Amino acid sequence: MDNLLSPGVKRLFQISMFFLLCVSGFLALFPFYALFLASLKPVTELLRSGLNLKVQPELLSWDNYSYLFSEAARKYLVWYKNSVLITLFTTMITLFFSSMVGYALAIYSFRGKNIVLSLILIVLMVPVEILMLPLFEQTITLGLIDTYWGVILPFAVSPFAVFFFRQYALSLPKELLDAARIDGCSEFGIFIRIMAPLMTPAFAAMGILTALNAWNNFLWPLVVLRSEEMFTLPIGLYGLLTPYGNNYNILISGAVLTILPIMILFLFFQRFFISGMTLGGVKE
């Protein structure tokens, strides 16, 4: 179709697309700019003027960020550490178990395979809020209230991740399995040493999504965690809102810093993320 367009029309189309992308990028980044600008202002200015975009150099300072790393705000660093650990272990465990289940559903034939796949799809369609009560009872029974594992284990296997890995594994060359079996490799060894490296884009894409969900998870950690020393960042920052005065300046600067890990993660794995999402979504 491109060949049917004259050079002038193609040039106009490219300029229009460039302008549209610039506007879209500006609209997407605008909230972050407003948030960052507000994080540099004192709380009195925020209460008086709100989240305005007026740049007043005499009011801007890094005091809010310095306070977050001071001894007075020690709990912020504890919450940051808790969020990092929970996100890291949740992502690793979810990727490990979900990839094996998805791989098995794609590669092996066994009785009840379609029933298992149907159950996974049914669970995928159930809102997680409905599962909160039975999960909470199981967490109490296992003695995991107010622990890291109480937050991590209930979501160790994700139905969405299983389905995603299953779709991706359908595209893997089956000839490699037969060759590895002839060489005496075990089924677990075939998965770890041969198939898992071929699924790197799928691991990267699902790793970003899983880490994002775990990092921003608010409801389940709020249900499970009790002590301030175990709080994650969303819960800890939410606790700064009190009926006796809100620390908006600290709250906003703390929220800005929570964006950094996810941005770094996405920048490192974005090329795998795009290819992984594309391939995982089109198979069978």
Side-chain angles (χ1 to χ4, degrees):
M1 181 177 178
D2 290 344
N3 296 331
L4 300 177
L5 301 176
S6 64
V9 174
K10 289 176 63 176
R11 182 65 176 169
L12 181 61
F13 178 76
Q14 291 173 347
I15 293 175
S16 301
M17 289 301 299
F18 178 76
F19 178 74
L20 182 62
L21 291 174
C22 288
V23 172
S24 302
F26 175 77
L27 293 176
L29 294 175
F30 179 77
F32 296 101
Y33 170 73
L35 193 69
F36 178 70
L37 190 62
S39 70
L40 299 176
K41 296 179 180 179
V43 66
T44 52
E45 177 62 20
L46 291 174
L47 294 175
R48 182 169 55 244
S49 306
L51 292 175
N52 66 73
L53 300 179
K54 186 177 180 181
V55 179
Q56 298 170 284
E58 69 277 7
L59 295 178
L60 304 182
S61 73
W62 297 97
D63 292 346
N64 296 332
Y65 291 94
S66 300
Y67 177 80
L68 288 176
F69 294 98
S70 67
E71 185 62 24
R74 182 184 57 85
K75 288 180 181 176
Y76 180 78
L77 296 180
V78 175
W79 301 337
Y80 217 103
K81 181 200 70 176
N82 293 338
S83 283
V84 170
L85 291 177
I86 289 175
T87 300
L88 181 63
F89 281 101
T90 299
T91 304
M92 293 172 59
I93 292 173
T94 301
L95 291 182
F96 181 72
F97 288 112
S98 299
S99 63
M100 285 201 298
V101 176
Y103 171 79
L105 289 173
I107 299 299
Y108 300 110
S109 297
F110 53 89
R111 183 177 298 177
K113 174 180 172 179
N114 291 331
I115 296 176
V116 173
L117 182 60
S118 300
L119 290 175
I120 290 174
L121 293 176
I122 291 173
V123 175
L124 185 61
M125 291 183 281
V126 175
V128 69
E129 288 79 8
I130 295 178
L131 305 175
M132 284 291 171
L133 183 57
L135 286 176
F136 183 62
E137 291 179 349
Q138 290 179 4
T139 305
I140 294 176
T141 304
L142 297 174
L144 297 177
I145 292 295
D146 204 25
T147 64
Y148 289 157
W149 293 114
V151 180
I152 296 170
L153 288 183
F155 302 98
V157 178
S158 164
F160 176 71
V162 169
F163 183 73
F164 181 82
F165 279 114
R166 184 252 182 193
Q167 294 298 100
Y168 196 92
L170 289 173
S171 67
L172 299 178
K174 308 299 186 296
E175 295 79 9
L176 291 176
L177 278 82
D178 298 331
R181 287 167 182 156
I182 293 173
D183 290 340
C185 190
S186 65
E187 294 300 322
F188 185 73
I190 293 174
F191 173 71
I192 293 296
R193 298 167 59 184
I194 299 176
M195 292 305 180
L198 296 177
M199 298 168 68
T200 300
F203 277 102
M206 191 48 56
I208 291 176
L209 294 178
T210 305
L212 185 62
N213 288 331
W215 183 261
N216 293 328
N217 193 4
F218 176 79
L219 183 58
W220 180 246
L222 182 66
V223 171
V224 173
L225 301 177
R226 293 288 183 271
S227 58
E228 282 192 339
E229 287 72 20
M230 295 300 297
F231 282 177
T232 57
L233 269 175
I235 302 175
L237 293 175
Y238 176 74
L240 294 177
L241 300 175
T242 67
Y244 309 103
N246 298 321
N247 303 307
Y248 285 120
N249 53 340
I250 307 301
L251 178 65
I252 293 175
S253 56
V256 170
L257 291 183
T258 63
I259 301 172
L260 294 180
I262 295 300
M263 288 183 63
I264 295 172
L265 184 68
F266 186 79
L267 289 175
F268 272 105
F269 295 102
Q270 59 174 333
R271 63 191 179 97
F272 294 115
F273 179 79
I274 295 172
S275 61
M277 291 299 294
T278 303
L279 292 175
V282 298
K283 300 302 178 189
E284 195 177 351

